[in-house]
Amino acid sequence: KAGVTQTPRYLIKTRGQQVTLSCSPISGHRSVSWYQQTPGQGLQFLFEYFSETQRNKGNFPGRFSGRQFSNSRSEMNVSTLELGDSALYLCASTSGAYNEQFFGPGTRLTVL
Amino acid sequence: SQQGEEDPQALSIQEGENATMNCSYKTSINNLQWYRQNSGRGLVHLILIRSNEREKHSGRLRVTLDTSKKSSSLLITASRAADTASYFCATSASNAGKSTFGDGTTLTVKP
């Protein structure tokens, strides 16, 4: 099976702009989770989508949003970008039985 | 704050030696997973251990879980330079795709 794919791999944006990141899970996986990784805060959970519904949400402001499509692909959107949003954004695809999470290569977002 | 803490924060060993990393967590869990990350790339899934398991092996990896102490350890035997990476533990408290990560252990294996 193909692994989790994320696009784009790198993004450079300026403050105030918005950005959309995309994630395609492993075929057959219906859960997609998003994480933010920064040197200061480490890996933090953003949200999880399952069958097009947000099932879990982390402690991030409303500028961070997501959605999932009927084919399980997911997008996350960050509006009104701030310098502190610069991070590696990781998407994870979760298998059903024991919730093994498999991660994509990430999208490196730089906000200038 | 993060659910887990890893110990040590950094570990430097010679090729061929064993490396042990520890992870402690605060609340009850459903499972615990270990990941490897090379230089800011994606996380590579190493092993999952369920809360009712005490030990699992995968190749040169051995993971233990002590739910009474809320701790886990990852042992890498006969380490190689290619094992140089950051290692993270992640806990999941329910049957859902939300994991809470520790701060990671940076392992350096010198050739």
Side-chain angles (χ1 to χ4, degrees):
Chain A
K1 282 184 180 179
V4 179
T5 59
Q6 291 187 246
T7 57
R9 295 291 310 279
Y10 301 92
L11 266 179
I12 299 176
K13 293 285 187 179
T14 56
R15 278 181 299 174
Q17 288 187 311
Q18 74 164 20
V19 67
T20 299
L21 313 181
S22 180
C23 171
S24 292
I26 293 169
S27 178
H29 289 189
R30 295 163 62 191
S31 166
V32 173
S33 302
W34 289 90
Y35 294 83
Q36 181 197 64
Q37 185 178 28
T38 60
Q41 299 298 316
L43 276 150
Q44 294 193 301
F45 173 79
L46 280 156
F47 30 66
E48 181 215 3
Y49 286 86
F50 179 83
S51 293
E52 302 179 64
T53 301
Q54 189 179 84
R55 184 160 69 172
N56 281 294
K57 187 177 187 304
N59 189 26
F60 278 80
R63 300 185 297 107
F64 292 82
S65 62
R67 59 177 176 168
Q68 186 179 34
F69 302 95
S70 58
N71 62 357
S72 293
R73 188 178 69 86
S74 177
E75 289 181 346
M76 69 163 281
N77 184 275
V78 188
S79 62
T80 319
L81 284 166
E82 301 177 357
L83 295 179
D85 297 333
S86 293
L88 180 67
Y89 289 89
L90 293 160
C91 164
S93 168
T94 303
S95 69
Y98 301 113
N99 296 313
E100 276 184 298
Q101 283 200 315
F102 299 93
F103 283 79
T107 294
R108 173 75 62 185
L109 172 65
T110 302
V111 182
L112 304 175
Chain B
S1 64
Q2 297 287 61
Q3 156 82 309
E5 293 182 0
E6 274 138 307
D7 169 54
Q9 286 189 325
L11 180 61
S12 182
I13 58 174
Q14 295 292 136
E15 219 169 18
E17 295 180 337
N18 295 341
T20 299
M21 288 158 265
N22 302 297
C23 167
S24 60
Y25 56 92
K26 298 174 184 174
T27 60
S28 297
I29 62 171
N30 184 50
N31 66 51
L32 185 146
Q33 303 180 70
W34 284 91
Y35 294 88
R36 183 184 75 234
Q37 186 179 41
N38 293 86
S39 293
R41 298 181 184 176
L43 297 170
V44 174
H45 187 271
L46 295 177
I47 199 164
L48 177 149
I49 186 165
R50 301 194 304 272
S51 60
N52 61 353
E53 296 177 311
R54 292 297 167 257
E55 186 171 313
K56 283 189 81 169
H57 297 256
S58 177
R60 295 184 295 114
L61 306 180
R62 172 178 169 255
V63 168
T64 62
L65 179 64
D66 187 335
T67 52
S68 66
K69 295 181 179 178
K70 292 186 170 58
S71 68
S72 174
S73 69
L74 170 67
L75 167 68
I76 304 174
T77 60
S79 63
R80 306 166 181 167
D83 294 328
T84 294
S86 293
Y87 292 81
F88 294 89
C89 69
T91 56
S92 176
S94 66
N95 290 325
K98 175 184 177 181
S99 291
T100 305
F101 282 80
D103 294 328
T105 293
T106 300
L107 172 66
T108 302
V109 182
K110 301 174 185 176

